[in-house]
Amino acid sequence: PSCFGYPLSIFFIIINEFCERFSYYGMKAVLVLYFKYFLQWDDNLSTAIYHTFVALCYLTPILGALIADSWLGKFKTIVSLSIVYTIGQAVMSVSSMNDLTDQNRDGSPDNIPVHIALSMIGLILIALGTGGIKPCVSAFGGDQFEEDQDKQRSRFFSIFYLSINAGSLLSTIITPILRAQECGIHSKQRCYPLAFGVPAALMAVALVVFIIGSKMYKKVKPQGNVMVQVSKCIGFAIKNRFRHRSKEFPKREHWLDWASEKYDKRLIAQTKMVLKVLFLYIPLPMFWALFDQQGSRWTLQATTMDGNFVAIQIQPDQMQTVNPILIIIMVPVVDAVIYPLIKKCKINFTPLRKITVGMFLASLAFVAAALVQVQIDKTLPVFPAAGQSQIKIINLGTDNATIKFQPQSGEVNVVPKGSTAYMTFRTSQLQSLTVTSGNKSITENITLEEGKRQTLGVKNDMNDIILKLLLDNAMSKPEEGSNLIRIINNLPDPVNVTMGATSFGNLSSLAVSNYELFPGGRKDKITVIRDSTNCSITSKALGFGSAYTIVINECSGHAQNVTYSEDIPPNTVHMAWQIPQYFILTCAEVVFSVTGLEFSYSQAPSNMKAVLQAGWLLTVAVGNIIVLIVAGASKLEEQWSEYVLFAALLLAVCIIFAVMSYFYTYVDPNEVEAQLDEEEKKQVKDPGIYEKQVEADSQM
């Protein structure tokens, strides 16, 4: 049965792929946070395990291809590994229930190793499942078309890619929302079981939908253990060539022809086709090394930016949704508008040219990221270097204050309730300072800590000038666009201060609290309790990635006064500046990834389609490993220079690939196989021809 000229069965395959991708990306979206906040691993371990898991998901396709092509066939492989996958997702959901080992009911698990063990089992099953079915699903979809349906097959790969991105987009928006809910039997915690449970349910739906379409599928029988045959054939050819390396043996047209003594012509011809494509794949991992940094480096870049989009606040990790949104818009546009336009201009835009353009664009995207990073770096605070110290003055009094630094002759004037920016001194060159306020003056010796920031509070009260030197331990931008806040009580009486849900505790007069962490991009209510009376005031919008000292000057029923001293300025470069780099990278992905899937399918012999799909996915795994190696090996201090390094590496690889693809000749596997069929028929009719051919081959 068909629908709009397409086999009806492919609609089941597309729905299955949508649910499976929702399941995978949904789980992956919250995975690093789960490692960090639930399993209590540090950033480095969380990142390393995350990248290892992603690499594993792209290594297991080889296993899936082996099982499908040589044993179970694509249909049964997809069904059986989907069951493994669903179990893995369910195990992840169970592993994230803190009530599982929370005997004392304090809200945190008592036996972390149990949760770690379950998580690792769950992730291994997921990697086996998602990786194992990956090379089979797209190839199985391609199998549903007749030989004369090239146009429909090409369109199918675009729709297939669209369903991947629709699933990924929805899950990247939905699962973080589910995680943010609170749930639990004994105590309410972040709801990881729900964030992992919904993807598990969708995986079960994917499995059911796929099985429902069973009667309609065109199922190609497994063709025997192709990968083992190919490996043996290559091994024998190399061994045989090495044995006959002396000059008396004439050269053969292709080194694989040395296997002709033992293997038939068909296998050798098919192996040549596969190796030709696999050789072209060698440069491709570099593209994925850049592409996969959306989830790591680019997200970290977003944490140093301003996410205030008029009425809504965008969190740094939500910027990743720009990619699937753009994909959903651009795949149809490129398919229906751009490619036909290029064709009209009489440009032969071959698949390999598309892939080359994709690599060039990805390199360009990283140049854009580097330019944004340079702008961000200009706004980052300058901290004291070795041998330096920084000091800022906050005037807590109602008179002007003048501070003179000795032995350096610098002088600074601070208005009432005002503060200065940080001033940098050589630690050894600042020994004392003189403070003049109102009609009083005081000189004090001062010792600054090297490489540290300090704040000097100055107050002229009725009797004397009070000086209070505070050590500022906010020595780096707060992570994830959060804000650091501390409170100074500038009232004569002790007060109790809370801001939002965070308590700063009791503060005596002129005491200062520790810094507390607050989510970025919002206003919070500051409540001050003084002598059993309380007053509240809403803070100003503190932006993202800032640190402030809030001074409480007055708080009674009708008079409220707080001042803000900026310790670290908020992020000023807007997150919207990341959109160009996402746009360029998405253009790169459309021409690179969709084309790559289609090219792999079209150049593969009928019994080796899943093998080439696995080879394509293997390039993603290697790309993930490259990120870990390059990021670990490059000792670059500046983030922008790392972006430029990646861009330059990909540009170099792109040029190499362009040269390689120039020498590539496209083959039609069906034609080659038809030719081989003809030859085999002749051999059956006249076996003598075959013997003469073998004799001729061996003499060559």
Side-chain angles (χ1 to χ4, degrees):
S2 68
C3 177
F4 305 117
Y6 293 89
L8 193 59
S9 54
I10 68 154
F11 295 100
F12 289 94
I13 294 167
I14 285 167
I15 294 167
N16 163 275
E17 184 65 11
F18 169 82
C19 294
E20 188 273 325
R21 293 286 84 189
F22 184 105
S23 177
Y24 174 73
Y25 283 106
M27 180 272 309
K28 207 173 99 173
V30 297
L31 197 57
V32 169
L33 298 176
Y34 169 71
F35 289 158
K36 188 172 176 180
Y37 299 115
F38 189 90
L39 298 181
Q40 291 150 22
W41 289 345
D42 65 8
D43 287 13
N44 293 341
L45 181 61
S46 301
T47 309
I49 299 286
Y50 172 81
H51 272 284
T52 310
F53 167 70
V54 174
L56 193 61
C57 288
Y58 286 95
L59 284 169
T60 47
I62 294 170
L63 190 66
L66 262 172
I67 296 169
D69 280 353
S70 60
W71 181 31
L72 289 178
K74 295 187 195 84
F75 175 74
K76 283 182 182 166
T77 304
I78 295 168
V79 171
S80 48
L81 286 175
S82 292
I83 294 167
V84 171
Y85 192 166
T86 311
I87 294 167
Q89 289 280 32
V91 170
M92 275 307 284
S93 186
V94 171
S95 79
S96 63
M97 293 176 184
N98 51 299
D99 293 313
L100 199 64
T101 62
D102 186 11
Q103 256 76 49
N104 58 5
R105 302 188 179 184
D106 64 346
S108 58
D110 300 337
N111 194 345
I112 287 282
V114 169
H115 294 273
I116 292 175
L118 281 172
S119 302
M120 293 306 105
I121 291 166
L123 289 176
I124 289 165
L125 291 176
I126 291 168
L128 274 173
T130 187
I133 67 176
K134 236 187 214 112
C136 305
V137 178
S138 54
F140 188 64
D143 287 345
Q144 305 307 308
F145 294 89
E146 299 301 328
E147 277 177 22
D148 58 350
Q149 289 186 302
D150 281 346
K151 198 178 171 192
Q152 286 94 326
R153 184 187 289 126
S154 174
R155 193 62 52 81
F156 160 74
F157 281 114
S158 290
I159 298 168
F160 185 79
Y161 208 71
L162 209 59
S163 72
I164 290 176
N165 283 282
S168 121
L169 170 64
L170 281 173
S171 62
T172 325
I173 294 168
I174 293 167
T175 46
I177 296 170
L178 297 176
R179 183 192 66 83
Q181 307 306 311
E182 300 215 315
C183 63
I185 302 165
H186 304 310
S187 61
K188 300 289 175 217
Q189 297 298 324
R190 289 276 185 235
C191 205
Y192 289 104
L194 190 60
F196 290 136
V198 169
L202 262 133
M203 194 52 227
V205 170
L207 177 59
V208 171
V209 167
F210 188 72
I211 293 170
I212 289 171
S214 173
K215 293 267 191 302
M216 295 177 214
Y217 300 136
K218 203 163 109 188
K219 297 169 191 169
V220 180
K221 284 195 164 67
Q223 313 269 344
N225 202 329
V226 180
M227 273 172 119
V228 174
Q229 277 179 298
V230 169
S231 308
K232 280 183 178 169
C233 177
I234 294 168
F236 181 77
I238 293 168
K239 212 159 57 182
N240 204 22
R241 173 77 190 90
F242 190 71
R243 266 201 224 117
H244 302 93
R245 64 185 181 278
S246 70
K247 289 203 176 130
E248 66 206 56
F249 296 103
K251 281 185 177 172
R252 296 190 184 181
E253 198 182 334
H254 190 283
W255 63 270
L256 263 174
D257 293 332
W258 287 95
S260 60
E261 279 88 332
K262 192 172 176 184
Y263 294 94
D264 67 5
K265 229 172 171 179
R266 177 181 289 266
L267 181 69
I268 292 170
Q270 290 174 333
T271 307
K272 281 180 190 171
M273 281 190 266
V274 167
L275 284 182
K276 230 170 122 182
V277 180
L278 288 179
F279 177 67
L280 267 187
Y281 282 178
I282 293 170
L284 302 187
M286 202 63 221
F287 172 88
W288 297 113
L290 276 72
F291 183 79
D292 278 346
Q293 287 187 53
Q294 290 176 92
S296 50
R297 290 285 193 242
W298 284 15
T299 303
L300 291 172
Q301 185 185 55
T303 65
T304 58
M305 300 174 86
D306 174 14
N308 194 353
F309 282 80
V310 196
I312 52 169
Q313 304 292 346
I314 299 283
Q315 293 305 316
D317 46 355
Q318 285 178 314
M319 276 305 284
Q320 288 177 64
T321 55
V322 172
N323 173 257
I325 290 169
L326 286 173
I327 279 275
I328 287 165
I329 298 165
M330 285 171 61
V331 167
V333 169
V334 168
D335 249 12
V337 181
I338 312 283
Y339 288 162
L341 268 177
I342 292 172
K343 211 170 182 184
K344 272 206 172 128
C345 298
K346 302 277 191 295
I347 298 169
N348 184 13
F349 203 29
T350 61
L352 291 178
R353 283 178 187 166
K354 290 176 189 173
I355 291 172
T356 312
V357 168
M359 291 167 99
F360 176 72
L361 287 173
S363 173
L364 216 58
F366 265 63
V367 173
L371 292 173
V372 170
Q373 191 63 45
V374 168
Q375 294 309 312
I376 292 169
D377 289 348
K378 286 180 189 168
T379 69
L380 294 177
V382 178
F383 293 103
Q388 292 181 335
S389 301
Q390 288 180 336
I391 187 166
K392 74 187 256 187
I393 315 291
I394 297 183
N395 184 357
L396 301 169
T398 50
D399 297 304
N400 271 329
T402 305
I403 294 91
K404 198 167 186 181
F405 302 101
Q406 272 113 10
Q408 295 177 339
S409 55
E411 182 175 293
V412 64
N413 196 36
V414 193
V415 297
K417 305 284 193 296
S419 63
T420 66
Y422 281 99
M423 295 166 279
T424 307
F425 292 95
R426 304 273 329 146
T427 308
S428 55
Q429 287 178 338
L430 181 61
Q431 285 141 18
S432 66
L433 43 80
T434 302
V435 180
T436 308
S437 182
N439 53 6
K440 300 186 190 73
S441 187
I442 183 173
T443 301
E444 287 270 331
N445 290 334
I446 187 166
T447 309
L448 295 181
E449 286 196 41
E450 188 182 331
K452 293 281 169 60
R453 287 181 146 192
Q454 284 169 283
T455 297
L456 180 71
V458 174
K459 186 168 189 178
N460 176 11
D461 73 350
M462 295 302 170
N463 314 312
D464 211 347
I465 291 177
I466 301 166
L467 301 180
K468 196 167 181 76
L469 191 64
L470 317 166
L471 185 66
D472 300 352
N473 51 7
M475 289 296 291
S476 64
K477 269 264 187 198
E479 284 186 354
E480 287 188 55
S482 302
N483 297 312
L484 286 168
I485 308 289
R486 64 175 177 178
I487 306 284
I488 292 180
N489 174 17
N490 195 22
L491 298 167
D493 320 313
V495 292
N496 183 291
V497 183
T498 53
M499 183 168 168
T502 306
S503 170
F504 288 94
N506 291 310
L507 297 174
S508 55
S509 180
L510 295 186
V512 64
S513 72
N514 291 325
Y515 279 107
E516 296 289 346
L517 204 59
F518 288 83
R522 64 181 213 194
K523 301 173 181 180
D524 277 295
K525 194 171 166 188
I526 304 170
T527 305
V528 180
I529 300 172
R530 178 187 184 192
D531 295 338
S532 73
T533 62
N534 70 2
C535 74
S536 61
I537 184 170
T538 303
S539 73
K540 70 172 188 175
L542 301 171
F544 293 81
S546 67
Y548 282 96
T549 300
I550 299 179
V551 183
I552 295 168
N553 298 313
E554 186 54 59
C555 201
S556 58
H558 30 268
Q560 296 164 347
N561 180 304
V562 298
T563 50
Y564 299 85
S565 174
E566 195 178 79
D567 303 337
I568 293 174
N571 305 335
T572 50
V573 179
H574 202 277
M575 271 187 211
W577 283 108
Q578 273 199 325
I579 292 173
Q581 70 205 48
Y582 272 103
F583 175 74
I584 300 168
L585 193 66
T586 306
C587 292
E589 185 188 0
V590 171
V591 290
F592 181 94
S593 202
V594 177
T595 312
L597 279 172
E598 201 184 316
F599 175 75
S600 299
Y601 191 90
S602 72
Q603 296 296 294
S606 57
N607 60 337
M608 297 189 191
K609 301 225 184 269
V611 176
L612 269 190
Q613 293 290 336
W616 173 257
L617 295 165
L618 186 63
T619 62
V620 184
V622 178
N624 263 289
I625 296 160
I626 290 174
V627 179
L628 292 173
I629 295 167
V630 175
S634 76
K635 296 280 178 277
L636 298 170
E637 294 290 316
E638 303 290 337
Q639 184 56 56
W640 66 265
S641 53
E642 191 184 281
Y643 288 143
V644 171
L645 171 69
F646 272 110
L649 285 171
L650 183 58
L651 190 61
V653 167
C654 174
I655 293 163
I656 294 165
F657 182 79
V659 173
M660 285 166 68
S661 56
Y662 178 76
F663 292 105
Y664 182 86
T665 44
Y666 291 86
V667 290
D668 182 350
N670 297 333
E671 258 178 48
V672 176
E673 284 172 355
Q675 224 173 331
L676 289 164
D677 288 342
E678 281 295 309
E679 281 178 26
E680 278 168 18
K681 276 179 199 161
K682 280 179 194 165
Q683 284 160 20
V684 172
K685 283 180 191 163
D686 185 357
I689 292 175
Y690 178 61
E691 279 155 23
K692 282 174 200 159
Q693 181 65 42
V694 170
E695 210 173 292
D697 280 356
S698 59
Q699 281 168 4
M700 270 173 75

